[in-house]
Amino acid sequence: MTMRIMVVEDDALIALDIVSLLEDMGHLVVAEAADACTAYELAEGDRPDVALVDIRLAKNTDGGKLAQKLYDLLGVRSLFVSGSITEDFRVQMAGINPVGFLGKPVTRRTLGDALRGVTQH
Amino acid sequence: MTRDPAEVSGSHRQAARERAFRLLAITVAALFLAFASVGGVFVWYDHSARLVAHTHEVRNGIADVLQALTDVESAQRGYVLTGDRSFVERVEDGRQRAEAELDAVDILTADNPEQQTRIIALRGLMAKRLAVVDETMAQRRSGDAVAAIRTVRQGEGVAAMAAVRRIATELEAEEAQLLAQRARQATVIRSALITLLAGFALALTFLFVRSQRELSLDREVEADTAERLRALLADRSLLLDEVNHRVKNSLQQIASVVRLQSRSVSDGATREALEKTLDRIMAVGRVHEQLYKSGGQVGAFDAGHYAKALAHDLVDSLGRDDVQLTTEVEAHVLDLRQAVPLALILNELVTNALKYGCPADRECRIHVGFGTDGQDYRLSVSDDGVGLPKGFTSQSKKSLGMRAVEALARQLGGRLVVEQPEAGAAFAVIFPRSP
């Protein structure tokens, strides 16, 4: 199933890699952003099916808050991709029905498995 | 030099605790002393109280002697006047009482030489008085009442009796003085006893209050220490999370660059080399993931669990549904220094088994085992595929993968064993349990 995906990641090469992986899987990357503000503006316009969100973003912005806003205001669910997913964070985000929490480094398989969660929930 | 705040508060705490223990020891010692002194003073008080009672006995004894003698005199007079024989018995009775009482007083005052001298004199005078009584009685018995009255008139008996009374008064005065003295002493001792008890009560109260204060100080310091330790622990957890985050991000950066590179090359061999590199990076990444998994014990590397998970990941990542993977692992926590080499060895052996043992066109089984072997650990990977070329030894094929496995086995202080199964290939790395 092809999905329209937004990638929010502040590291340019990691973003490029993830976009390539997603496109290899047949998904459409509709927006890319490095910080929370840009990401939200883009999401308002493009309305992705799902957002891949790093927790620590550029300009010192917070992926957790972005995901909260995306879900509350636009109904967009997030898949968190980060090197620092704590148990506290999982509990905090439980309310916004996240697609999943994916630890770095990401492989083709872990990313694919995580996205399968979109259709299952 | 800055000191660890936990250490500083720890030493405060130690000092407070030592003070509390010292106070406790002093309190116990004071209690023993108090009991000993109070006991001693009480024995002393009891003794002087007994002396007072003793003096009373002596005084009563003297009074009884006088009373008995007075009774004798009355009975004698009665007899002289009436000649009634019943008076004779009363005289005898009085005489016996007087002598018995005097003997008793004699014994009671045995420790007082002055009183003893007086008692000897008293005894003489009493004998004289009784002799006059006897004489008078004898004259009256023989019917000579006039002679008896004459004897009485001579006044010897009266004089003796007066002397008896005088000496008795002296005895009495001496005892009265002793009584006053002893009663005074008993009062003093009683006051001392009360003062002593009050003093000890005060001292004990003081010590108790002091030790309570020290103990509450100790508790405060303890709470303070716990607070500091919590803060330190929170700081360290934060730092660990930060380092963990950075390591994972860096691994992701490296993996992303390699993956992007492999995607951009058209040459198959080059791409394969880059994919292998990526697998190796991921194997290290997984070790890190397992080491710093949130909620788990940081730094504990369970080799059995890791081997199982990595083997499944590798087989799954190739999308080989036709490969049957079986694992037989024991849970063993390895030293951190052993974790990465072991992970890389496993990565190479499983990748090799998939690539050479199970070519894409045939079904096969791969078995991964990890457990103890005597004093060693043994990691084994085998397949039932096409098998190794005839005469293969680890030296004969110098692929990077096998050279890496040998080098890593040496790093673990162990060795690579190429086994010769009937079908397929089997490798084992045996390395000592302690690095």
Side-chain angles (χ1 to χ4, degrees):
Chain A
M1 189 188 93
T2 301
M3 282 186 283
R4 302 175 71 254
I5 298 176
M6 173 167 76
V7 174
V8 189
E9 164 65 61
D10 63 339
D11 188 298
L13 287 179
I14 297 176
L16 195 57
D17 176 37
I18 290 176
V19 169
S20 307
L21 285 173
L22 291 170
E23 286 173 352
D24 283 354
M25 292 173 203
H27 299 300
L28 189 62
V29 177
V30 294
E32 281 180 62
D35 67 278
C37 304
T38 315
Y40 185 75
E41 281 165 22
L42 289 174
E44 269 186 315
D46 294 316
R47 301 293 172 130
D49 297 326
V50 64
L52 256 66
V53 180
D54 186 10
I55 296 171
R56 297 191 196 180
L57 296 172
K59 299 181 186 166
N60 237 347
T61 51
D62 179 352
K65 285 184 186 149
L66 169 66
Q68 189 99 43
K69 215 166 139 193
L70 286 175
Y71 185 75
D72 290 346
L73 302 179
L74 306 177
V76 174
R77 291 173 66 201
S78 295
L79 169 60
F80 292 102
V81 181
S82 174
S84 55
I85 296 166
T86 61
E87 208 43 51
D88 284 350
F89 185 76
R90 285 173 195 266
V91 172
Q92 275 173 31
M93 292 299 137
I96 64 161
N97 193 19
V99 173
F101 301 89
L102 188 54
K104 285 177 177 175
V106 171
T107 67
R108 191 184 305 270
R109 196 174 68 83
T110 58
L111 185 58
D113 286 351
L115 282 171
R116 231 165 276 145
V118 178
T119 46
Q120 281 165 4
H121 282 273
Chain B
M1 192 183 95
T2 55
R3 290 177 68 194
D4 192 324
E7 203 182 306
V8 172
S9 73
S11 72
H12 282 171
R13 184 152 180 236
Q14 185 73 16
R17 189 166 277 179
E18 273 168 16
R19 277 201 300 277
F21 277 126
R22 263 203 303 279
L23 278 172
L24 191 66
I26 291 171
T27 308
V28 171
L31 265 175
F32 271 113
L33 258 177
F35 276 121
S37 336
V38 167
V41 173
F42 184 77
V43 168
W44 188 20
Y45 174 69
D46 184 54
H47 176 67
S48 60
R50 254 187 293 126
L51 281 181
V52 169
H54 177 262
T55 312
H56 278 298
E57 255 179 88
V58 174
R59 292 179 77 185
N60 288 338
I62 294 164
D64 288 345
V65 169
L66 279 180
Q67 182 60 51
L69 283 177
T70 308
D71 289 349
V72 169
E73 280 187 324
S74 309
Q76 175 223 3
R77 257 179 244 123
Y79 185 66
V80 170
L81 289 176
T82 64
D84 184 344
R85 298 209 47 94
S86 71
F87 286 114
V88 177
E89 280 169 34
R90 283 173 58 187
V91 166
E92 267 319 297
D93 174 57
R95 177 206 300 275
Q96 274 167 21
R97 274 196 289 127
E99 278 170 357
E101 290 295 343
L102 189 60
D103 286 348
V105 172
D106 192 357
I107 291 166
L108 282 172
T109 58
D111 58 340
N112 190 332
E114 282 180 38
Q115 296 290 71
Q116 287 283 296
T117 315
R118 289 191 185 102
I119 285 167
I120 291 165
L122 183 64
R123 208 182 276 284
L125 287 165
M126 193 169 89
K128 197 169 176 187
R129 177 68 187 108
L130 290 173
V132 173
V133 169
D134 286 344
E135 190 188 340
T136 317
M137 299 274 286
Q139 284 165 342
R140 180 65 183 86
R141 200 178 305 124
S142 61
D144 191 355
V146 176
I149 290 169
R150 196 171 49 243
T151 304
V152 173
R153 274 198 183 143
Q154 277 171 354
E156 275 182 39
V158 174
M161 189 60 191
V164 164
R165 283 183 201 282
R166 205 184 60 243
I167 289 180
T169 308
E170 278 177 28
L171 274 170
E172 165 70 23
E174 168 79 13
E175 288 301 321
Q177 193 200 335
L178 276 175
L179 180 64
Q181 191 185 329
R182 284 165 181 176
R184 218 162 37 238
Q185 193 181 29
T187 310
V188 168
I189 294 170
R190 195 165 51 230
S191 309
L193 190 61
I194 290 166
T195 312
L196 203 59
L197 281 173
F200 278 126
L202 270 176
L204 276 178
T205 310
F206 172 73
L207 286 172
F208 181 72
V209 169
R210 269 293 292 277
S211 64
Q212 284 300 304
R213 216 170 50 211
E214 293 296 348
L215 283 175
S216 80
L217 184 66
D218 181 43
R219 273 194 290 274
E220 269 171 41
V221 174
E222 184 175 359
D224 196 36
T225 307
E227 187 50 49
R228 281 162 198 271
L229 284 177
R230 264 196 293 281
L232 274 176
L233 195 64
D235 280 356
R236 275 164 205 186
S237 302
L238 213 63
L239 190 65
L240 189 66
D241 284 349
E242 179 62 28
V243 169
N244 184 26
H245 174 80
R246 284 181 190 280
V247 169
K248 284 182 178 176
N249 221 54
S250 300
L251 281 168
Q252 177 70 69
Q253 282 173 327
I254 296 163
S256 289
V257 169
V258 173
R259 191 152 44 210
L260 288 166
Q261 188 71 59
S262 87
R263 198 190 304 280
S264 72
V265 297
S266 50
D267 178 44
T270 312
R271 174 175 294 193
E272 193 192 314
L274 286 168
E275 287 290 339
K276 272 190 161 179
T277 305
L278 190 60
D279 282 343
R280 289 165 186 152
I281 293 166
M282 287 300 175
V284 175
R286 264 189 214 94
V287 172
H288 182 81
E289 177 71 27
Q290 213 200 4
L291 289 179
Y292 293 90
K293 207 179 293 169
S294 67
Q297 189 193 351
V298 171
F301 177 77
D302 178 345
H305 180 263
Y306 180 86
K308 196 170 169 176
L310 180 69
H312 278 287
D313 275 356
L314 288 171
V315 173
D316 290 354
S317 70
L318 293 180
R320 292 286 299 272
D321 297 335
D322 54 336
V323 174
Q324 266 193 332
L325 175 69
T326 55
T327 55
E328 192 179 337
V329 299
E330 296 168 15
H332 289 291
V333 174
L334 259 61
D335 189 273
L336 283 186
R337 281 168 292 174
Q338 295 174 311
V340 170
L342 187 75
L344 289 171
I345 288 170
L346 191 64
N347 182 66
E348 296 305 326
L349 291 179
V350 174
T351 308
N352 269 359
L354 283 165
K355 185 176 171 191
Y356 302 110
C358 311
D361 53 348
R362 70 186 294 273
E363 260 182 49
C364 82
R365 275 196 288 274
I366 292 179
H367 180 81
V368 173
F370 179 76
T372 51
D373 181 2
Q375 289 304 302
D376 297 328
Y377 282 124
R378 179 188 169 92
L379 173 74
S380 61
V381 177
S382 59
D383 63 71
D384 64 350
V386 293
L388 298 170
K390 218 167 160 45
F392 177 94
T393 66
S394 58
Q395 277 77 33
S396 66
K397 191 182 180 192
K398 294 292 182 186
S399 75
L400 173 61
M402 292 315 281
R403 288 211 316 273
V405 170
E406 281 181 303
L408 291 163
R410 275 199 302 279
Q411 187 181 334
L412 289 172
R415 62 191 195 281
L416 171 69
V417 179
V418 183
E419 287 164 349
Q420 307 288 342
E422 286 177 17
F427 296 92
V429 170
I430 296 161
F431 60 100
R433 287 197 216 176
S434 44

